[in-house]
Structure formats: structure tokens, C-alpha cells
Amino acid sequence: YTGMTSDIDRRVDEHNSHLPNVLYTKNPTDFELIFCSWFETRDEARVVEKYLKGGSGREFRQNLSAGRQVDYT
């Protein structure tokens, strides 16, 4: 899952609750937080979210999931 929220703990709990009234990804498995970043504005967060959902971002996420050191800046 890649997205933005103002309360990361609540959002992870929502994803892992599997309740029918909670929107979550199509694969209802438990999530483990592996990366989190804070931004001053939603616009800044959207730029990084768009990057993470694109081709280079997918590679970044794969490296992160594999335990490789990564830098998106």
C-alpha cells in the first residue's frame, strides 16, 4: 500500500482490521510498515506518492522490501 495520511498508526490499524466498512487494498493481508516520511504540505506528499507509484518508485519499494538501503531524494 502506498498512500498518505495524517495518522499513520490509525491507517495501518484500519488496513489490518479487515472490517467491511474500511477501505483497504484488494489484497486483505496484514500490513507491516516499512517506510514512512513526513511532509510540510499535502502537495509535497502527493509528489512523493506519485513517484512511489511510478516505475522508479516501484524499484525503490522493491529494494526497500528486500532490505536494501534506498534513497528517494
Side-chain angles (χ1 to χ4, degrees):
Y1 166 77
T2 301
M4 66 177 138
T5 181
S6 60
D7 186 341
I8 189 65
D9 292 326
R10 177 191 52 79
R11 193 68 180 123
V12 171
D13 287 345
E14 285 176 353
H15 275 292
N16 291 338
S17 71
H18 311 296
L19 296 173
N21 62 335
V22 175
L23 296 176
Y24 55 87
T25 61
K26 63 184 173 184
N27 188 8
T29 58
D30 283 351
F31 286 82
E32 176 184 359
L33 183 64
I34 60 171
F35 176 77
C36 182
S37 189
W38 284 263
F39 300 93
E40 291 293 321
T41 68
R42 291 183 66 83
D43 288 340
E44 291 173 321
R46 280 189 191 100
V47 168
V48 175
E49 181 182 13
K50 184 175 180 178
Y51 163 79
L52 290 173
K53 289 181 175 180
S56 297
R58 268 193 233 49
E59 182 178 346
F60 170 89
R61 292 191 331 265
Q62 289 169 346
N63 287 332
L64 191 66
S65 293
R68 298 182 195 105
Q69 188 169 351
V70 294
D71 182 15
Y72 70 90
T73 57

